[in-house]
Amino acid sequence: MKNLGRDDIYNRISRNIKEVCEVQVVTPESKLSTELGVDSLKIAELSIVFENEFGVSCFLPDLLNTESPYNLTVNSLVTFVEDRMRDAS
Amino acid sequence: MSDLFDISIRKEVAYFEMNLKGSSVNVFTRRAAEQIIEFFETLDPKKVKMVVFKSSKHFSFLNGAELVMTKAIKSFEDIKHYTDKTRRAYECVAQSPVPTVAAVAGNCFGCGMEFILTCDYRLASHSFDTQFYLTELIDYYLLPLFGSSFRLAPLVGLTEAVDMLVFGKKLHSQEAWEIGLIDRVISQDYFEADVEAFIQQLTKSLCIKRHQDYISKLSHPHFQKYKDNPAVDISDIKAYKNLIHQEIDKLPPLRQQLHRVCFTQLYKNSLLPYEQAKQEDTVSSTFSTLSTISSREATNFFFQKEMARIVETGSSKREWGEQGIQICICENSNPFCEILSHAFVQGVEIQKASRSHKASFSVKADQKHLLVKVIWGKEKSEFKSRHMDVVLYFPFKDNTNYVEVFCAENKVKLLKPFLSFLHLMGWMSVTVVDREESPVDRLCLKLAEFLDKTSAKQAVLEKTLWMIGFEKNISLVIMNWRHNKNNHDYEANFLNTRSLNYELALECLDLMYQHLQKELKQKVLKHESQANMLMQMVFGFPTALGGFMEYVKAKKWLSTPILDAEIKLLETPRDQETRDVNYDQAS
């Protein structure tokens, strides 16, 4: 898959989060754990969903090692996927 | 963050119904802790005479605390920060001025187990999915944080506590009752009604609040033998300690320190009065062991397992037909059918079918039917997937937790509820579509060829893989695969081999890695998580090292503390008297 722009990545991530987490509102600053209800099960599912969406390996638990998972936001996911796509290209 | 508990008060009884929105299982979240603390700190015993904890979810009573919490822990202060609220909540329940009842139906795992220990009474449904399991040490390389190290042994005795906490023994309701963990087992058909009857009976009586030392449980015959020392019921404690240490010696080095700390903690707490044990149960030992065993990697086991399951079922939600699943079993001695005949699973109807050599499976809602054939290892010659709708293949007989499911492409959608059911039974599965070769058979064959070539160095290879952390003896796994048995434990005399050969071991790992990469490219395996799961389930690749594929790809053995640990272990005399760990200083 060709490199997508950050906005494109965000839109796709936002759509998937709404579907998997069954939430209506997603913003770049939305906190994954406390606002969107992303728990361990959702992280595993989102990993698979993002891999299918972006065509790159997206083991999201790695993201949990970078900073406190309670501070992670949708922006964190976007950056994570961006980095993965850049490494893969 | 949504509430875990729906709280209602009826006839002076407070009901805490657990139903975490948007999750297939109940998890003790920080919000749950807040709910408990808010309620109990303002509880008026004149208005509320009893508190009952139940679950509204199928299959899940309480499946632990938030796993992401462990990923947040990077320092000793983090443990206190992230766990204090939960510990406070558990203590609120334990100190409740009115009796508390846990009515358990579904999985009661990890912190869920620790939660019910804070209650005065524990009732359990007689159903297959009602299981009691302390996951912390075995699955996640974590020491328990919420009280099992001082609450469990006084309840069930030290030996049972060690079996559960140190060695991960999983119990069904009946077994839990037999050791005193559960006060009453209730048929799943009458669970709601009988729990209600129990509650009403208790409120009408003197409403006994259990003594904290659990001595006053006169109704259960198990406790009659306890006199001055409720926890320690072993006649030769020294011999018992040595036995446990010997068992721990057989574990891979990655696990040994952790298990020793846990055992020492349990043992010491069991000798102390309850209040003193509680006060001395600190988090310092937990953190020091966490940092050395790299628990953040260990929790990847959960993610790998979930991802492998989601690849199969397509969702983290458990999807069942509108009216559940009906499984028809035939009356023969097929082990799968035997297991099913004992499997009282909520939401799953199991019917005996007429005599047949096949097990039939139907999804009521869709009105579809599937024919399922079960193949055990020795019947491999009968294995022809195109002759059956679905074939279940168990490469290892008895106590297996890995099954391969063969089906045609057009059957995959129908299979999904059934795959969810298999996962509920505790089995991990790989679905093989439109092919006839088992992924496990192919891997075992490759490994068998390697072992045959290197047979002169077998003991050294086994020992080196054990040092790396493999929890199953790889040679025995292959031998048992060939002869369809299931004993992969390391023998005691295996430890006498002192030589190691890392080059050979890494050659073995690389062989398996290359093979699995090929399987992924050819879509025999659909996702890397399936390859990781296969290595973990079949060969005991340690979850503390993360996923197998990433471990080999990134050559992670170069950065693990294995080499230092190896040298230390080989040089340390195996003196049993010096084994007890001062767990406050464990590092």
Side-chain angles (χ1 to χ4, degrees), chain A residues 20 22 34 40-42 44-45 47-48 51 59 61 64-65 68-70, chain B residues 1 22 30 67-69 71-72 82 302-303 306-307 310-311 316 527:
Chain A
V20 169
E22 294 175 319
T34 50
S40 317
L41 289 171
K42 299 279 188 304
E45 185 172 0
S47 296
I48 300 286
E51 284 184 10
F59 190 62
L64 302 180
N65 293 332
S68 171
Y70 299 115
Chain B
M1 190 180 274
R30 284 173 304 158
L67 207 57
V68 289
M69 174 182 69
K71 295 272 187 182
Y82 287 113
F302 173 86
F303 296 113
E306 273 310 299
M307 285 166 72
I310 290 162
V311 163
S316 61
H527 189 265

PDB file of all heavy atoms in Angstrom, chain A residues 20 22 34 40-42 44-45 47-48 51 59 61 64-65 68-70, chain B residues 1 22 30 67-69 71-72 82 302-303 306-307 310-311 316 527:
ATOM      1  N   VAL A  20     -15.224  -0.804  16.128  1.00  0.00           N
ATOM      2  CA  VAL A  20     -14.772  -1.819  17.095  1.00  0.00           C
ATOM      3  C   VAL A  20     -15.184  -1.453  18.520  1.00  0.00           C
ATOM      4  O   VAL A  20     -15.623  -2.298  19.299  1.00  0.00           O
ATOM      5  CB  VAL A  20     -13.234  -2.000  17.009  1.00  0.00           C
ATOM      6  CG1 VAL A  20     -12.709  -2.829  18.163  1.00  0.00           C
ATOM      7  CG2 VAL A  20     -12.855  -2.622  15.675  1.00  0.00           C
ATOM      8  N   GLU A  22     -17.500   0.760  19.320  1.00  0.00           N
ATOM      9  CA  GLU A  22     -18.917   1.155  19.399  1.00  0.00           C
ATOM     10  C   GLU A  22     -19.069   2.508  20.088  1.00  0.00           C
ATOM     11  O   GLU A  22     -19.835   2.667  21.038  1.00  0.00           O
ATOM     12  CB  GLU A  22     -19.737   0.072  20.124  1.00  0.00           C
ATOM     13  CG  GLU A  22     -19.783  -1.225  19.316  1.00  0.00           C
ATOM     14  CD  GLU A  22     -20.490  -2.352  20.050  1.00  0.00           C
ATOM     15  OE1 GLU A  22     -20.290  -2.506  21.262  1.00  0.00           O
ATOM     16  OE2 GLU A  22     -21.245  -3.082  19.395  1.00  0.00           O
ATOM     17  N   THR A  34      -9.557   5.755  28.746  1.00  0.00           N
ATOM     18  CA  THR A  34     -10.604   6.313  29.601  1.00  0.00           C
ATOM     19  C   THR A  34     -11.806   6.838  28.813  1.00  0.00           C
ATOM     20  O   THR A  34     -12.916   6.819  29.318  1.00  0.00           O
ATOM     21  CB  THR A  34     -10.030   7.449  30.465  1.00  0.00           C
ATOM     22  OG1 THR A  34      -9.316   8.349  29.613  1.00  0.00           O
ATOM     23  CG2 THR A  34      -9.064   6.901  31.497  1.00  0.00           C
ATOM     24  N   SER A  40      -7.721  -4.394  26.825  1.00  0.00           N
ATOM     25  CA  SER A  40      -6.800  -5.379  26.240  1.00  0.00           C
ATOM     26  C   SER A  40      -7.431  -6.098  25.053  1.00  0.00           C
ATOM     27  O   SER A  40      -6.776  -6.360  24.044  1.00  0.00           O
ATOM     28  CB  SER A  40      -6.401  -6.404  27.292  1.00  0.00           C
ATOM     29  OG  SER A  40      -6.136  -5.786  28.505  1.00  0.00           O
ATOM     30  N   LEU A  41      -8.723  -6.436  25.184  1.00  0.00           N
ATOM     31  CA  LEU A  41      -9.396  -7.138  24.089  1.00  0.00           C
ATOM     32  C   LEU A  41      -9.473  -6.262  22.848  1.00  0.00           C
ATOM     33  O   LEU A  41      -9.233  -6.716  21.727  1.00  0.00           O
ATOM     34  CB  LEU A  41     -10.805  -7.539  24.511  1.00  0.00           C
ATOM     35  CG  LEU A  41     -10.910  -8.669  25.552  1.00  0.00           C
ATOM     36  CD1 LEU A  41     -12.345  -8.789  26.031  1.00  0.00           C
ATOM     37  CD2 LEU A  41     -10.449  -9.985  24.967  1.00  0.00           C
ATOM     38  N   LYS A  42      -9.782  -4.984  23.053  1.00  0.00           N
ATOM     39  CA  LYS A  42      -9.921  -4.068  21.910  1.00  0.00           C
ATOM     40  C   LYS A  42      -8.569  -3.843  21.253  1.00  0.00           C
ATOM     41  O   LYS A  42      -8.460  -3.711  20.038  1.00  0.00           O
ATOM     42  CB  LYS A  42     -10.505  -2.728  22.367  1.00  0.00           C
ATOM     43  CG  LYS A  42     -11.884  -2.792  22.984  1.00  0.00           C
ATOM     44  CD  LYS A  42     -12.947  -2.864  21.906  1.00  0.00           C
ATOM     45  CE  LYS A  42     -14.354  -2.725  22.461  1.00  0.00           C
ATOM     46  NZ  LYS A  42     -14.685  -3.699  23.483  1.00  0.00           N
ATOM     47  N   ALA A  44      -6.129  -5.932  21.005  1.00  0.00           N
ATOM     48  CA  ALA A  44      -5.836  -7.091  20.168  1.00  0.00           C
ATOM     49  C   ALA A  44      -6.645  -7.031  18.876  1.00  0.00           C
ATOM     50  O   ALA A  44      -6.118  -7.273  17.780  1.00  0.00           O
ATOM     51  CB  ALA A  44      -6.130  -8.381  20.938  1.00  0.00           C
ATOM     52  N   GLU A  45      -7.910  -6.685  19.000  1.00  0.00           N
ATOM     53  CA  GLU A  45      -8.755  -6.634  17.793  1.00  0.00           C
ATOM     54  C   GLU A  45      -8.302  -5.512  16.865  1.00  0.00           C
ATOM     55  O   GLU A  45      -8.232  -5.701  15.641  1.00  0.00           O
ATOM     56  CB  GLU A  45     -10.216  -6.448  18.174  1.00  0.00           C
ATOM     57  CG  GLU A  45     -11.125  -6.523  16.945  1.00  0.00           C
ATOM     58  CD  GLU A  45     -12.596  -6.542  17.275  1.00  0.00           C
ATOM     59  OE1 GLU A  45     -12.928  -6.488  18.479  1.00  0.00           O
ATOM     60  OE2 GLU A  45     -13.400  -6.601  16.340  1.00  0.00           O
ATOM     61  N   SER A  47      -5.402  -4.343  16.511  1.00  0.00           N
ATOM     62  CA  SER A  47      -4.157  -4.752  15.843  1.00  0.00           C
ATOM     63  C   SER A  47      -4.468  -5.473  14.550  1.00  0.00           C
ATOM     64  O   SER A  47      -3.875  -5.183  13.500  1.00  0.00           O
ATOM     65  CB  SER A  47      -3.325  -5.668  16.753  1.00  0.00           C
ATOM     66  OG  SER A  47      -2.898  -4.998  17.911  1.00  0.00           O
ATOM     67  N   ILE A  48      -5.389  -6.398  14.617  1.00  0.00           N
ATOM     68  CA  ILE A  48      -5.752  -7.170  13.422  1.00  0.00           C
ATOM     69  C   ILE A  48      -6.433  -6.267  12.395  1.00  0.00           C
ATOM     70  O   ILE A  48      -6.130  -6.302  11.201  1.00  0.00           O
ATOM     71  CB  ILE A  48      -6.710  -8.325  13.790  1.00  0.00           C
ATOM     72  CG1 ILE A  48      -6.065  -9.271  14.798  1.00  0.00           C
ATOM     73  CG2 ILE A  48      -7.165  -9.065  12.548  1.00  0.00           C
ATOM     74  CD1 ILE A  48      -5.010 -10.155  14.227  1.00  0.00           C
ATOM     75  N   GLU A  51      -3.941  -4.005  10.697  1.00  0.00           N
ATOM     76  CA  GLU A  51      -3.099  -4.750   9.755  1.00  0.00           C
ATOM     77  C   GLU A  51      -3.827  -4.956   8.441  1.00  0.00           C
ATOM     78  O   GLU A  51      -3.240  -4.805   7.364  1.00  0.00           O
ATOM     79  CB  GLU A  51      -2.712  -6.109  10.354  1.00  0.00           C
ATOM     80  CG  GLU A  51      -1.623  -6.013  11.407  1.00  0.00           C
ATOM     81  CD  GLU A  51      -1.178  -7.367  11.911  1.00  0.00           C
ATOM     82  OE1 GLU A  51      -1.569  -8.385  11.334  1.00  0.00           O
ATOM     83  OE2 GLU A  51      -0.423  -7.389  12.908  1.00  0.00           O
ATOM     84  N   PHE A  59       1.454  -4.469  15.730  1.00  0.00           N
ATOM     85  CA  PHE A  59       1.275  -5.094  17.038  1.00  0.00           C
ATOM     86  C   PHE A  59       1.132  -4.000  18.079  1.00  0.00           C
ATOM     87  O   PHE A  59       2.111  -3.510  18.656  1.00  0.00           O
ATOM     88  CB  PHE A  59       2.466  -6.020  17.327  1.00  0.00           C
ATOM     89  CG  PHE A  59       2.272  -6.885  18.532  1.00  0.00           C
ATOM     90  CD1 PHE A  59       1.244  -7.813  18.592  1.00  0.00           C
ATOM     91  CD2 PHE A  59       3.111  -6.775  19.629  1.00  0.00           C
ATOM     92  CE1 PHE A  59       1.055  -8.618  19.709  1.00  0.00           C
ATOM     93  CE2 PHE A  59       2.937  -7.573  20.753  1.00  0.00           C
ATOM     94  CZ  PHE A  59       1.908  -8.495  20.787  1.00  0.00           C
ATOM     95  N   PRO A  61       0.231  -3.784  21.178  1.00  0.00           N
ATOM     96  CA  PRO A  61       0.788  -3.844  22.536  1.00  0.00           C
ATOM     97  C   PRO A  61       2.175  -3.208  22.633  1.00  0.00           C
ATOM     98  O   PRO A  61       2.573  -2.759  23.710  1.00  0.00           O
ATOM     99  CB  PRO A  61       0.844  -5.349  22.815  1.00  0.00           C
ATOM    100  CG  PRO A  61      -0.319  -5.886  22.066  1.00  0.00           C
ATOM    101  CD  PRO A  61      -0.368  -5.068  20.801  1.00  0.00           C
ATOM    102  N   LEU A  64       1.998   0.152  23.977  1.00  0.00           N
ATOM    103  CA  LEU A  64       1.761   0.280  25.416  1.00  0.00           C
ATOM    104  C   LEU A  64       3.055   0.354  26.203  1.00  0.00           C
ATOM    105  O   LEU A  64       3.047   0.708  27.384  1.00  0.00           O
ATOM    106  CB  LEU A  64       0.928  -0.901  25.915  1.00  0.00           C
ATOM    107  CG  LEU A  64      -0.431  -1.082  25.246  1.00  0.00           C
ATOM    108  CD1 LEU A  64      -1.146  -2.282  25.832  1.00  0.00           C
ATOM    109  CD2 LEU A  64      -1.282   0.151  25.415  1.00  0.00           C
ATOM    110  N   ASN A  65       4.169  -0.023  25.566  1.00  0.00           N
ATOM    111  CA  ASN A  65       5.441   0.024  26.273  1.00  0.00           C
ATOM    112  C   ASN A  65       6.100   1.398  26.202  1.00  0.00           C
ATOM    113  O   ASN A  65       7.079   1.656  26.894  1.00  0.00           O
ATOM    114  CB  ASN A  65       6.413  -1.005  25.670  1.00  0.00           C
ATOM    115  CG  ASN A  65       5.945  -2.426  25.937  1.00  0.00           C
ATOM    116  OD1 ASN A  65       5.281  -2.698  26.913  1.00  0.00           O
ATOM    117  ND2 ASN A  65       6.280  -3.329  25.031  1.00  0.00           N
ATOM    118  N   SER A  68       2.712   5.656  29.403  1.00  0.00           N
ATOM    119  CA  SER A  68       1.610   5.085  30.167  1.00  0.00           C
ATOM    120  C   SER A  68       0.401   4.888  29.258  1.00  0.00           C
ATOM    121  O   SER A  68      -0.018   5.815  28.565  1.00  0.00           O
ATOM    122  CB  SER A  68       1.223   6.012  31.317  1.00  0.00           C
ATOM    123  OG  SER A  68       0.031   5.541  31.916  1.00  0.00           O
ATOM    124  N   PRO A  69      -0.136   3.686  29.214  1.00  0.00           N
ATOM    125  CA  PRO A  69      -1.280   3.425  28.338  1.00  0.00           C
ATOM    126  C   PRO A  69      -2.472   4.321  28.642  1.00  0.00           C
ATOM    127  O   PRO A  69      -3.308   4.550  27.775  1.00  0.00           O
ATOM    128  CB  PRO A  69      -1.620   1.950  28.601  1.00  0.00           C
ATOM    129  CG  PRO A  69      -0.888   1.573  29.828  1.00  0.00           C
ATOM    130  CD  PRO A  69       0.252   2.484  29.973  1.00  0.00           C
ATOM    131  N   TYR A  70      -2.533   4.850  29.866  1.00  0.00           N
ATOM    132  CA  TYR A  70      -3.668   5.705  30.201  1.00  0.00           C
ATOM    133  C   TYR A  70      -3.539   7.082  29.564  1.00  0.00           C
ATOM    134  O   TYR A  70      -4.490   7.855  29.548  1.00  0.00           O
ATOM    135  CB  TYR A  70      -3.817   5.810  31.724  1.00  0.00           C
ATOM    136  CG  TYR A  70      -4.076   4.464  32.368  1.00  0.00           C
ATOM    137  CD1 TYR A  70      -3.168   3.892  33.243  1.00  0.00           C
ATOM    138  CD2 TYR A  70      -5.234   3.746  32.058  1.00  0.00           C
ATOM    139  CE1 TYR A  70      -3.393   2.650  33.802  1.00  0.00           C
ATOM    140  CE2 TYR A  70      -5.462   2.500  32.610  1.00  0.00           C
ATOM    141  CZ  TYR A  70      -4.542   1.956  33.476  1.00  0.00           C
ATOM    142  OH  TYR A  70      -4.766   0.724  34.020  1.00  0.00           O
TER     143      TYR A  70
ATOM    144  N   MET B   1     -15.481   6.316  31.297  1.00  0.00           N
ATOM    145  CA  MET B   1     -15.284   4.874  31.516  1.00  0.00           C
ATOM    146  C   MET B   1     -16.579   4.300  32.087  1.00  0.00           C
ATOM    147  O   MET B   1     -17.134   4.857  33.021  1.00  0.00           O
ATOM    148  CB  MET B   1     -14.137   4.678  32.516  1.00  0.00           C
ATOM    149  CG  MET B   1     -13.686   3.240  32.645  1.00  0.00           C
ATOM    150  SD  MET B   1     -12.341   3.041  33.829  1.00  0.00           S
ATOM    151  CE  MET B   1     -10.941   3.385  32.802  1.00  0.00           C
ATOM    152  N   GLY B  22     -19.631  -3.190  26.375  1.00  0.00           N
ATOM    153  CA  GLY B  22     -18.666  -3.189  25.280  1.00  0.00           C
ATOM    154  C   GLY B  22     -17.550  -4.207  25.439  1.00  0.00           C
ATOM    155  O   GLY B  22     -16.565  -4.190  24.720  1.00  0.00           O
ATOM    156  N   ARG B  30     -10.700   0.536  37.117  1.00  0.00           N
ATOM    157  CA  ARG B  30     -10.553   1.552  38.166  1.00  0.00           C
ATOM    158  C   ARG B  30     -11.911   2.142  38.539  1.00  0.00           C
ATOM    159  O   ARG B  30     -12.159   2.508  39.684  1.00  0.00           O
ATOM    160  CB  ARG B  30      -9.594   2.644  37.696  1.00  0.00           C
ATOM    161  CG  ARG B  30      -8.129   2.192  37.743  1.00  0.00           C
ATOM    162  CD  ARG B  30      -7.189   3.207  37.132  1.00  0.00           C
ATOM    163  NE  ARG B  30      -7.562   3.520  35.776  1.00  0.00           N
ATOM    164  CZ  ARG B  30      -7.217   4.635  35.147  1.00  0.00           C
ATOM    165  NH1 ARG B  30      -6.483   5.542  35.743  1.00  0.00           N
ATOM    166  NH2 ARG B  30      -7.598   4.852  33.901  1.00  0.00           N
ATOM    167  N   LEU B  67      -5.533  -5.394  32.143  1.00  0.00           N
ATOM    168  CA  LEU B  67      -4.187  -5.861  31.817  1.00  0.00           C
ATOM    169  C   LEU B  67      -3.281  -4.714  31.392  1.00  0.00           C
ATOM    170  O   LEU B  67      -2.066  -4.763  31.578  1.00  0.00           O
ATOM    171  CB  LEU B  67      -4.273  -6.909  30.705  1.00  0.00           C
ATOM    172  CG  LEU B  67      -3.146  -7.932  30.654  1.00  0.00           C
ATOM    173  CD1 LEU B  67      -3.021  -8.668  31.962  1.00  0.00           C
ATOM    174  CD2 LEU B  67      -3.394  -8.910  29.533  1.00  0.00           C
ATOM    175  N   VAL B  68      -3.899  -3.679  30.817  1.00  0.00           N
ATOM    176  CA  VAL B  68      -3.077  -2.533  30.400  1.00  0.00           C
ATOM    177  C   VAL B  68      -2.368  -1.907  31.597  1.00  0.00           C
ATOM    178  O   VAL B  68      -1.338  -1.265  31.457  1.00  0.00           O
ATOM    179  CB  VAL B  68      -3.904  -1.448  29.665  1.00  0.00           C
ATOM    180  CG1 VAL B  68      -4.329  -1.924  28.314  1.00  0.00           C
ATOM    181  CG2 VAL B  68      -5.073  -0.986  30.485  1.00  0.00           C
ATOM    182  N   MET B  69      -2.932  -2.147  32.780  1.00  0.00           N
ATOM    183  CA  MET B  69      -2.317  -1.593  33.979  1.00  0.00           C
ATOM    184  C   MET B  69      -0.882  -2.093  34.128  1.00  0.00           C
ATOM    185  O   MET B  69       0.018  -1.353  34.513  1.00  0.00           O
ATOM    186  CB  MET B  69      -3.155  -2.018  35.192  1.00  0.00           C
ATOM    187  CG  MET B  69      -2.580  -1.633  36.529  1.00  0.00           C
ATOM    188  SD  MET B  69      -3.635  -2.239  37.859  1.00  0.00           S
ATOM    189  CE  MET B  69      -3.375  -3.984  37.728  1.00  0.00           C
ATOM    190  N   LYS B  71       1.136  -2.794  31.874  1.00  0.00           N
ATOM    191  CA  LYS B  71       2.006  -2.132  30.905  1.00  0.00           C
ATOM    192  C   LYS B  71       2.374  -0.728  31.369  1.00  0.00           C
ATOM    193  O   LYS B  71       3.337  -0.134  30.901  1.00  0.00           O
ATOM    194  CB  LYS B  71       1.304  -2.028  29.541  1.00  0.00           C
ATOM    195  CG  LYS B  71       1.022  -3.357  28.868  1.00  0.00           C
ATOM    196  CD  LYS B  71       2.193  -3.786  28.038  1.00  0.00           C
ATOM    197  CE  LYS B  71       1.904  -5.009  27.205  1.00  0.00           C
ATOM    198  NZ  LYS B  71       3.074  -5.421  26.443  1.00  0.00           N
ATOM    199  N   ALA B  72       1.573  -0.194  32.294  1.00  0.00           N
ATOM    200  CA  ALA B  72       1.830   1.158  32.773  1.00  0.00           C
ATOM    201  C   ALA B  72       2.883   1.170  33.877  1.00  0.00           C
ATOM    202  O   ALA B  72       3.408   2.222  34.231  1.00  0.00           O
ATOM    203  CB  ALA B  72       0.532   1.775  33.295  1.00  0.00           C
ATOM    204  N   TYR B  82      -1.102   2.671  40.518  1.00  0.00           N
ATOM    205  CA  TYR B  82      -2.122   2.026  39.693  1.00  0.00           C
ATOM    206  C   TYR B  82      -2.920   0.969  40.434  1.00  0.00           C
ATOM    207  O   TYR B  82      -3.993   0.587  39.992  1.00  0.00           O
ATOM    208  CB  TYR B  82      -1.474   1.399  38.437  1.00  0.00           C
ATOM    209  CG  TYR B  82      -1.058   2.444  37.431  1.00  0.00           C
ATOM    210  CD1 TYR B  82       0.289   2.673  37.147  1.00  0.00           C
ATOM    211  CD2 TYR B  82      -2.016   3.228  36.784  1.00  0.00           C
ATOM    212  CE1 TYR B  82       0.664   3.648  36.245  1.00  0.00           C
ATOM    213  CE2 TYR B  82      -1.646   4.208  35.882  1.00  0.00           C
ATOM    214  CZ  TYR B  82      -0.301   4.411  35.614  1.00  0.00           C
ATOM    215  OH  TYR B  82       0.072   5.375  34.717  1.00  0.00           O
ATOM    216  N   PHE B 302      -1.259 -12.710  26.351  1.00  0.00           N
ATOM    217  CA  PHE B 302      -2.702 -12.469  26.250  1.00  0.00           C
ATOM    218  C   PHE B 302      -3.037 -11.914  24.871  1.00  0.00           C
ATOM    219  O   PHE B 302      -3.987 -12.359  24.216  1.00  0.00           O
ATOM    220  CB  PHE B 302      -3.136 -11.482  27.330  1.00  0.00           C
ATOM    221  CG  PHE B 302      -4.568 -11.057  27.190  1.00  0.00           C
ATOM    222  CD1 PHE B 302      -5.585 -11.807  27.748  1.00  0.00           C
ATOM    223  CD2 PHE B 302      -4.911  -9.930  26.472  1.00  0.00           C
ATOM    224  CE1 PHE B 302      -6.912 -11.430  27.603  1.00  0.00           C
ATOM    225  CE2 PHE B 302      -6.236  -9.541  26.316  1.00  0.00           C
ATOM    226  CZ  PHE B 302      -7.228 -10.292  26.881  1.00  0.00           C
ATOM    227  N   PHE B 303      -2.261 -10.943  24.426  1.00  0.00           N
ATOM    228  CA  PHE B 303      -2.550 -10.304  23.136  1.00  0.00           C
ATOM    229  C   PHE B 303      -2.374 -11.283  21.983  1.00  0.00           C
ATOM    230  O   PHE B 303      -3.177 -11.312  21.063  1.00  0.00           O
ATOM    231  CB  PHE B 303      -1.646  -9.085  22.941  1.00  0.00           C
ATOM    232  CG  PHE B 303      -1.888  -7.999  23.952  1.00  0.00           C
ATOM    233  CD1 PHE B 303      -0.937  -7.676  24.896  1.00  0.00           C
ATOM    234  CD2 PHE B 303      -3.088  -7.306  23.955  1.00  0.00           C
ATOM    235  CE1 PHE B 303      -1.172  -6.687  25.833  1.00  0.00           C
ATOM    236  CE2 PHE B 303      -3.327  -6.310  24.897  1.00  0.00           C
ATOM    237  CZ  PHE B 303      -2.371  -6.004  25.833  1.00  0.00           C
ATOM    238  N   GLU B 306      -5.315 -13.592  21.984  1.00  0.00           N
ATOM    239  CA  GLU B 306      -6.523 -12.915  21.515  1.00  0.00           C
ATOM    240  C   GLU B 306      -6.464 -12.650  20.025  1.00  0.00           C
ATOM    241  O   GLU B 306      -7.447 -12.824  19.314  1.00  0.00           O
ATOM    242  CB  GLU B 306      -6.718 -11.583  22.260  1.00  0.00           C
ATOM    243  CG  GLU B 306      -7.475 -11.708  23.562  1.00  0.00           C
ATOM    244  CD  GLU B 306      -8.770 -12.479  23.422  1.00  0.00           C
ATOM    245  OE1 GLU B 306      -9.656 -12.040  22.657  1.00  0.00           O
ATOM    246  OE2 GLU B 306      -8.907 -13.540  24.056  1.00  0.00           O
ATOM    247  N   MET B 307      -5.301 -12.236  19.546  1.00  0.00           N
ATOM    248  CA  MET B 307      -5.185 -11.956  18.116  1.00  0.00           C
ATOM    249  C   MET B 307      -5.373 -13.237  17.310  1.00  0.00           C
ATOM    250  O   MET B 307      -6.050 -13.236  16.280  1.00  0.00           O
ATOM    251  CB  MET B 307      -3.831 -11.306  17.813  1.00  0.00           C
ATOM    252  CG  MET B 307      -3.783  -9.842  18.245  1.00  0.00           C
ATOM    253  SD  MET B 307      -2.147  -9.139  18.284  1.00  0.00           S
ATOM    254  CE  MET B 307      -1.783  -9.011  16.539  1.00  0.00           C
ATOM    255  N   ILE B 310      -9.017 -13.842  17.263  1.00  0.00           N
ATOM    256  CA  ILE B 310      -9.767 -12.895  16.425  1.00  0.00           C
ATOM    257  C   ILE B 310      -9.553 -13.205  14.955  1.00  0.00           C
ATOM    258  O   ILE B 310     -10.467 -13.064  14.139  1.00  0.00           O
ATOM    259  CB  ILE B 310      -9.350 -11.440  16.754  1.00  0.00           C
ATOM    260  CG1 ILE B 310      -9.878 -11.078  18.145  1.00  0.00           C
ATOM    261  CG2 ILE B 310      -9.892 -10.463  15.727  1.00  0.00           C
ATOM    262  CD1 ILE B 310      -9.187  -9.887  18.759  1.00  0.00           C
ATOM    263  N   VAL B 311      -8.352 -13.663  14.592  1.00  0.00           N
ATOM    264  CA  VAL B 311      -8.100 -14.076  13.209  1.00  0.00           C
ATOM    265  C   VAL B 311      -9.076 -15.193  12.838  1.00  0.00           C
ATOM    266  O   VAL B 311      -9.568 -15.275  11.721  1.00  0.00           O
ATOM    267  CB  VAL B 311      -6.633 -14.545  13.059  1.00  0.00           C
ATOM    268  CG1 VAL B 311      -6.436 -15.357  11.795  1.00  0.00           C
ATOM    269  CG2 VAL B 311      -5.700 -13.349  13.066  1.00  0.00           C
ATOM    270  N   SER B 316     -13.596  -9.537  18.576  1.00  0.00           N
ATOM    271  CA  SER B 316     -13.326  -9.791  19.972  1.00  0.00           C
ATOM    272  C   SER B 316     -14.607 -10.102  20.733  1.00  0.00           C
ATOM    273  O   SER B 316     -14.572 -10.541  21.859  1.00  0.00           O
ATOM    274  CB  SER B 316     -12.645  -8.578  20.616  1.00  0.00           C
ATOM    275  OG  SER B 316     -13.488  -7.452  20.531  1.00  0.00           O
ATOM    276  N   HIS B 527      -1.781 -15.838  10.139  1.00  0.00           N
ATOM    277  CA  HIS B 527      -1.245 -14.653  10.825  1.00  0.00           C
ATOM    278  C   HIS B 527      -0.114 -15.076  11.750  1.00  0.00           C
ATOM    279  O   HIS B 527      -0.113 -16.205  12.257  1.00  0.00           O
ATOM    280  CB  HIS B 527      -2.397 -13.997  11.615  1.00  0.00           C
ATOM    281  CG  HIS B 527      -2.056 -12.661  12.187  1.00  0.00           C
ATOM    282  ND1 HIS B 527      -1.594 -12.495  13.480  1.00  0.00           N
ATOM    283  CD2 HIS B 527      -2.102 -11.426  11.639  1.00  0.00           C
ATOM    284  CE1 HIS B 527      -1.376 -11.230  13.702  1.00  0.00           C
ATOM    285  NE2 HIS B 527      -1.684 -10.540  12.608  1.00  0.00           N
TER     286      HIS B 527
END
